[in-house]
Amino acid sequence: MPPNHHHDALLWMAPLLSGGGYSSESLGFALGLHNLTRLDGGLMAGVRQFGEPQDESFVEGLPKALIPPLRHLFGAGASQDAASGVVVCHSTPDAWVPSKFEGWDELEPCPPPTAAVSVGRTMFETDSVPREWVERCSRMDEVWVPTHFHAEAFAAAGVPRERLFVIGEPVDTAFFRPGRLKPMRLPPLPPPSTPPLTPTPPPPPPPPSGVSPELSPPPADPTPPLVGPTPPPPFRFLSVFKWEARKGWDALLAAYFSEFGADEPVELVVKTRPFYSSGDFETLVEAPAAECTVIVKTSIRSHFAT
């Protein structure tokens, strides 16, 4: 923590149990907080779910080793005294008080009115920041961003530079260990609807009247089907994001459908999850595809994984 403030209570409010980027990052911070409290018995650190609803399927998939630390931190965060010191609001700024997401100001406002120091932990994946975010960040005592790039972008947008601090992203190296995992194999997609390479030959004409079928000349061999080399595996594009406007999924799909047709060996693999949106992703994809040509529309054969 930047050394501007010294308090015995630290409350981290984040979408820890929701899945997604903010969830993953906040879980890393939570694990670090748990380890810190074991070293410093005088520090009271806790966490609270904030900004997004809990995703039960995500919680069921959490590593078993993470459950005891989280149970301890959530228990500490439930104390009334937990919100009396430094409170970190770890989310996009539009979730901070006053939240644009209905119900959160009543359920779990961040920052809570009892906070001695209000900190915003956030980021934006471009070189600019929405004007509304600038106003919200400027009301915080401090704003923690993950890189110097973000600090420069937020400052250029109007956030007071003296309130910006670079706090790198945590990584749970016990969980993120690529060497002990196998790549996920995706099932092949069905081929696009295309006409056959060769037309089906018509049936042979009936024999002339008065001629025995046995004496008729044999029908000509149909044109043999074209046999070519085995096509190469498709080139796969991978995009991972929550289904929200901020991630630019509309620009992604418009670019993909404009560039590639159904007869090209490409696939778009999207790993996503709903974020205050429908979970019927294939229907959501149809609108951008409808703005392209009919030929391109037949290339909607993308994987969706949650």
Side-chain angles (χ1 to χ4, degrees):
M1 182 190 305
N4 297 27
H5 309 281
H6 299 276
H7 292 271
D8 293 333
L10 174 60
L11 177 63
W12 205 284
M13 301 179 63
L16 294 107
L17 305 179
S18 304
Y22 275 93
S23 172
S24 176
E25 188 188 45
S26 61
L27 286 173
F29 278 118
L31 186 60
L33 282 176
H34 177 71
N35 294 334
L36 185 61
T37 56
R38 295 170 62 185
L39 297 175
D40 184 358
L43 174 65
M44 183 178 69
V47 300
R48 291 180 186 176
Q49 177 73 13
F50 165 72
E52 298 179 37
Q54 178 175 317
D55 185 332
E56 294 300 335
S57 62
F58 174 77
V59 174
E60 291 175 1
L62 286 174
K64 300 302 181 185
L66 199 56
I67 301 303
L70 285 178
R71 185 177 292 115
H72 170 79
L73 289 169
F74 272 105
S79 167
Q80 290 184 347
D81 294 337
S84 62
V86 177
V87 178
V88 179
C89 302
H90 188 167
S91 68
T92 54
D94 49 10
W96 305 343
V97 173
S99 176
K100 80 168 190 177
F101 302 109
E102 184 178 356
W104 279 107
D105 285 349
E106 293 75 27
L107 178 65
E108 206 62 87
C110 198
T114 56
V117 179
S118 299
V119 177
R121 168 65 176 192
T122 192
M123 65 197 73
F124 202 59
E125 294 89 342
T126 71
D127 58 359
S128 185
V129 180
R131 180 177 301 176
E132 180 192 4
W133 285 28
V134 175
E135 297 172 355
R136 290 172 174 269
C137 288
S138 299
R139 293 197 292 265
M140 291 295 200
D141 296 304
E142 297 179 1
V143 177
W144 298 353
V145 293
T147 69
H148 291 284
F149 167 82
H150 292 95
E152 293 301 320
F154 275 60
V159 179
R161 186 175 292 272
E162 65 272 11
R163 300 189 184 186
L164 292 166
F165 295 86
V166 176
I167 308 294
E169 293 191 329
V171 177
D172 181 0
T173 55
F175 179 70
F176 291 103
R177 297 176 60 185
R180 65 186 184 93
L181 300 175
K182 295 181 179 180
M184 183 177 70
R185 300 297 178 186
L186 294 174
L189 289 172
S193 300
T194 55
L197 294 176
T198 57
T200 303
S209 178
V211 178
S212 172
E214 289 79 6
L215 300 178
S216 306
D221 291 336
T223 303
L226 297 179
V227 178
T230 302
F235 185 93
R236 281 178 169 147
F237 296 93
L238 172 64
S239 187
V240 182
F241 58 90
K242 286 189 301 186
W243 198 273
E244 59 174 323
R246 185 171 66 94
K247 299 300 183 179
W249 59 265
D250 51 345
L252 168 70
L253 296 178
Y256 180 78
F257 289 132
S258 298
E259 180 65 23
F260 302 110
D263 59 341
E264 298 187 68
V266 295
E267 294 178 3
L268 174 61
V269 180
V270 176
K271 186 180 187 302
T272 187
R273 54 185 295 273
F275 181 72
Y276 295 97
S277 67
S278 167
D280 185 1
F281 300 116
E282 295 193 9
T283 298
L284 292 171
V285 168
E286 290 178 358
E291 299 177 1
C292 302
T293 66
V294 174
I295 295 177
V296 173
K297 281 178 64 178
T298 63
S299 66
I300 305 179
R301 300 182 299 122
S302 299
H303 285 286
F304 283 92
T306 56

